[in-house]
Amino acid sequence: MNPKPPAPRQNAGSPPRWADRLLAWFCAPHLLEEVQGDLYERFTRRVALVGERSARRQYIWEVLGFIRPFALKRQRTVHQSDEYTSPISLHPAMIRNYLKIAWRNIAHNKTFSAINILGLALGMVCSLLIFLWIQDEFSVDAYHANGTRLYNVMERQLYDGKVVAAPSTPGLLSDELKKKFPEIEYAAGFSWEDQRTFTVGEKFNREKGRFAGADWFSMFTVPLLEGRPETALNAPANLAISRKLAENYFGSPQAAIGKSIRLDNQTDYQVTAVFENLPDNSSEKYDYLLSWQDFIRRNEWLKDWGSNAPRTFIQLHQARNGDLPDADRLEAKLKHFLKEVNPRMKESPFKIELFLQPFPEGYLYSNFKDGYQDGGRIEYVRLFGIVAVFILLIACINFMNLATARSVRRAREVGVRKVIGAVRSLLIGQFVGEALLLTFLALVLALGIVWLLLPVFNTLTEKHITFRYASPSFWATLLGMALLTGLIAGSYPALFLSSLNPIRVLKGSLRFGSGARLFRQGLVVFQFVLSMLLIIGTIVVYRQINFIQTKNLGYDRENLIYLSAEGNLVDKYSTFKQELLKSPGIQSMTYMDGTPTNTFGSTGNVQWPGKGPDVSIEFQFSTVDYDFTKTLKLNLKGRDFSKAYGLDSVSYLINETAARRIGYVDPIGKPLTLWGKQGTIIGLIEDYHMTSLHIPIEPLIIKLSPDPERKNIIIRTQPGQSREALASVETLWRQLNPKFPFSYKFADQEFQKLYRSEIVVGTLANYFAFLAIFISCLGLFGLAAFTAEQRTKEIGVRKVLGASVPSIVTLLSADFLKLVLIAILIASPLAWYAMNRWLADFAYKIDIEWWIFAGAGMLATVIALLTISFQSIKAALMDPVRSLRTE
Amino acid sequence: MKRTYLGEFEEIVLLTVAVLGSGAYGVAITDELDKQTGRSVSISAVHAALHRLQEKGMLVSQMGEATAERGGRRKRLFTVTVLGSRTLHDIRAVREQLWNSIAPQTLPAISL
């Protein structure tokens, strides 16, 4: 380099320094001296000619004039050959050469390339599927335009010293909140899902829908095809239906508007709006909506501020400065609203407060612990996210290991390249580039596999995921994933290969340092730790699900059928029951509100002698027909409701937990007051599981109900005769209730639905564990081949000196087995911790036993052994003459 | 090899380098251009042209001596190469041939 010019004299006539610095910054270094020299020379002359100020101005102007391509260009030109320069790295000829070499390597080592591409592709399939699933989970409810201003009003209650949060609120809450708080722009109640029979002329069918507040369509982005948002639900006889229903019953949305539909063969409603079918990514689905006024009219008890059942949504006003609304301030204001509005609450020992949950969070964060948000589906999203990263990582590690293994063959190429002038960065670029090439091949393969698997995956996860070809973010993610995978996978081989010493490589005395070996061993251990975690996880999840399915729930869920009591079945229930019990295949029947797995409601309004003033216990309750315990096959002490006793309207059945909580040792015959009606406990039901096994058994009170309307009829069929039983039920239904479609549910299928997410997780975990161990073993297979190749000569010498084949196989396998054992030791406590956390969500669960770890360890060891032994035996059987001939 | 064409400004700059002989560097070339043609050119344009001529092989350069008025920086002195010289001659020949081909009184008369 040229000597640095002496610093310019800082006399009075010097040009502005910042202009000099600017020039030095943008001007190519090899041009700087002459350019600046010329500028100085002109400046000095100008100072004498026109004065300093003007000269300085012109100097700046001239500096700016040099912002031209030739002065900005850093590249050295031919005349600057006084310094060594590297050859142009991205010359087309070199790129062609790299590609050619990469392709020859892929084509020549077919097994290695296949293992690599397959491993990477499988890893990508996993992560792609999981990515699509996660993307879908996050899209749920995210499409509402006002989403950031929508909140779910929830209630936090203190019972029994326990804080419980629930979305159920009083029926009048939505209207009252809107009146009292000016911050609230819209508010709407939202009922539970129910089914009603729609009749239009000769067509009738059962449809699923809800009641919703009049503001519903103003708040949520549900496009109306016909009708206006303000008037869609503003009168009791209004009915909004989906496009699907409009097309089914009337042929088109236009034809449907203004028409009347008879519901449950009782009441006529006017179609005031037709809305677009809800997208798949909606947490709540409904095909029709009825008005809130109608809801309150139908359910008088909703006017009571002490009864909670429906949900309440609000939309806040946009803040004046365009910011998000201040939900915290509103929350503080409405916290004690229920106590203000309901004087009874003031004296009540119940602590109760309202709080807000942002609506878009409702889907992923639906769990509450001690009254505060605590995860929900988001945990599965995170879990699978981690699994996706892990599996991809396992695939990357494979690639690293295999590429390093192949490096023996490629060392000479590296040596030659280095000798003829390749610098390290070029070699790194070449190998990373090769990794990227393989990754992109794998990506293409993975996309194909995912495309084929998507329908199966959708069935499994009960989603409707599609490739979003049009979305740039989809392609960006794909590209990003492939780039990242390629970089991670290619990094180690590239660094390793480029570090080889060309002289030693070309002399043929290639030795890998112990550092490289340790690193590779670390990778194998890491890989197997991940695989072990997945295997143990799968076993635990599988066993827990199996435990749930087979646990004795206290009632017999086999051979139970549910029907809904509607239409004529309500009036002619006794005829129906009499006739049905005479029919073939039927053992007994009853009805109840709710189902055995979902009791209808709960109440705290229970009194008994000796109850302390501070005691507040929330009892589950259900109203039933005669033969309840017989139909469910519950174990009962005392007696069931019976027509032989006239006073059973004030008789109660309770479960063992209720007896314990009340403090009755022998409750039969003891008094109990429910909703102010004093009665007697006539029977004690042995505890049975009323909900999913996530929740401990709660105290239960059962009461006789004289009216079957809108209740579930539960029929027990003779084992093995369900077909005959269903036939007789259907015949009777068609006779008695021709205006309503016949449909039924099996209790065991309903039961399965309680554990839908666990079952999905279990099945997915199965596949992922299998994939993880498969990919890990691919890697092990490659490594075993590498070791065998490395030690070819050693094996040859050993054989010549008389070593037996088994001893050589043991020698080669022992190294790997050690690694697998270390992995088992590391993975076991991790897995134990993780699975304990997962099981903590269940009130009833399996123990994690030692044999699970032992079994998983054995499985991993055996699979690893099988993988390694193939290579070991091949190496041990090799003819030593061939391997030693070159020496 | 294909003939290299010169732009008008490049041609002028190349000629100026030839005029200046051994003292051809950025400032001198700019000044000489100013003096000979009466047109005021920016120094950066001259540098750009010199750079391009060098890439085309019409000029070579080496670093000259440093002067105080340059803040102790050296000059880059330019010399016309054989290729540069031939190109200039070619251009001149073409021009002269064209001048000679013009029939008398074809060009409108101009009075200076």
Side-chain angles (χ1 to χ4, degrees), chain A residues 2 34 38 41 44-45, chain B residues 25-26 31 47 70 74 76:
Chain A
N2 299 322
E34 49 166 309
D38 278 4
E41 193 177 326
T44 321
R45 264 190 252 158
Chain B
Y25 68 99
D31 291 348
H47 271 272
R70 296 175 69 87
R74 293 177 298 167
R76 181 178 293 285

Side-chain angles (χ1 to χ4, degrees), chain A residues 120 124 392-393 395-397 399-401 403 425 427-440 478-496 519 523:
Chain A
L120 280 175
M124 284 183 171
L392 204 55
L393 214 56
C396 285
I397 291 176
F399 186 95
M400 290 186 199
N401 272 336
S425 60
L427 285 170
I428 292 177
Q430 184 199 342
F431 287 114
V432 170
E434 270 180 33
L436 284 176
L437 185 70
L438 274 174
T439 317
F440 276 97
L478 274 190
L479 205 69
M481 191 173 92
L483 275 178
L484 199 69
T485 314
L487 284 180
I488 296 175
S491 61
Y492 179 68
L495 290 175
F496 175 71
F519 184 75
L523 290 181

Side-chain angles (χ1 to χ4, degrees), chain A residues 166-371:
Chain A
S168 342
T169 45
L172 300 177
L173 185 68
S174 51
D175 289 343
E176 286 301 313
L177 281 181
K178 197 179 164 187
K179 270 185 231 161
K180 290 276 161 57
F181 297 98
E183 295 94 325
I184 297 174
E185 185 174 11
Y186 297 116
F190 192 52
S191 77
W192 52 88
E193 181 177 280
D194 61 11
Q195 296 197 359
R196 290 179 192 275
T197 299
F198 278 40
T199 313
V200 175
E202 291 304 300
K203 280 187 201 162
F204 61 87
N205 204 2
R206 195 170 284 125
E207 309 295 351
K208 285 180 180 174
R210 316 234 185 186
F211 293 91
D215 288 345
W216 189 262
F217 290 109
S218 309
M219 297 167 71
F220 294 95
T221 307
V222 182
L224 289 187
L225 304 170
E226 292 294 326
R228 292 211 324 273
E230 311 84 61
T231 55
L233 295 171
N234 68 345
N238 286 4
L239 170 64
I241 58 174
S242 68
R243 176 201 280 272
K244 188 178 97 191
L245 295 197
E247 281 167 359
N248 280 354
Y249 289 100
F250 303 101
S252 77
Q254 291 76 29
I257 195 87
K259 296 279 168 52
S260 82
I261 296 180
R262 174 156 282 225
L263 260 63
D264 292 337
N265 210 22
Q266 280 172 338
T267 331
D268 287 324
Y269 287 83
Q270 289 271 313
V271 178
T272 42
V274 179
F275 56 87
E276 187 54 85
N277 296 331
L278 293 177
D280 289 320
N281 54 355
S282 312
S283 58
E284 306 297 345
K285 303 272 170 63
Y286 44 86
D287 286 326
Y288 69 84
L289 287 180
L290 292 166
S291 81
W292 201 245
Q293 292 168 38
D294 191 35
F295 184 57
I296 303 284
R297 201 184 54 185
R298 281 168 179 260
N299 300 284
E300 278 294 316
W301 57 270
L302 280 172
K303 290 182 182 165
D304 175 29
W305 282 96
S307 302
N308 295 336
R311 292 160 66 185
T312 303
F313 295 105
I314 56 170
Q315 177 175 329
L316 304 189
H317 275 293
Q318 190 104 44
R320 214 168 282 147
N321 54 8
D323 279 352
L324 290 181
D326 191 351
D328 290 342
R329 246 186 45 212
L330 178 65
E331 194 176 55
K333 277 206 269 179
L334 55 74
K335 195 170 176 183
H336 299 297
F337 181 74
L338 285 181
K339 287 203 169 183
E340 288 157 27
V341 83
N342 182 9
R344 263 194 304 145
M345 291 266 176
K346 271 186 190 142
E347 295 106 55
S348 139
F350 283 19
K351 279 200 181 126
I352 193 159
E353 57 189 42
L354 292 178
F355 67 100
L356 300 176
Q357 182 185 37
F359 171 73
E361 280 181 19
Y363 176 69
L364 285 177
Y365 301 86
S366 55
N367 284 3
F368 286 84
K369 194 182 174 195
D370 299 331

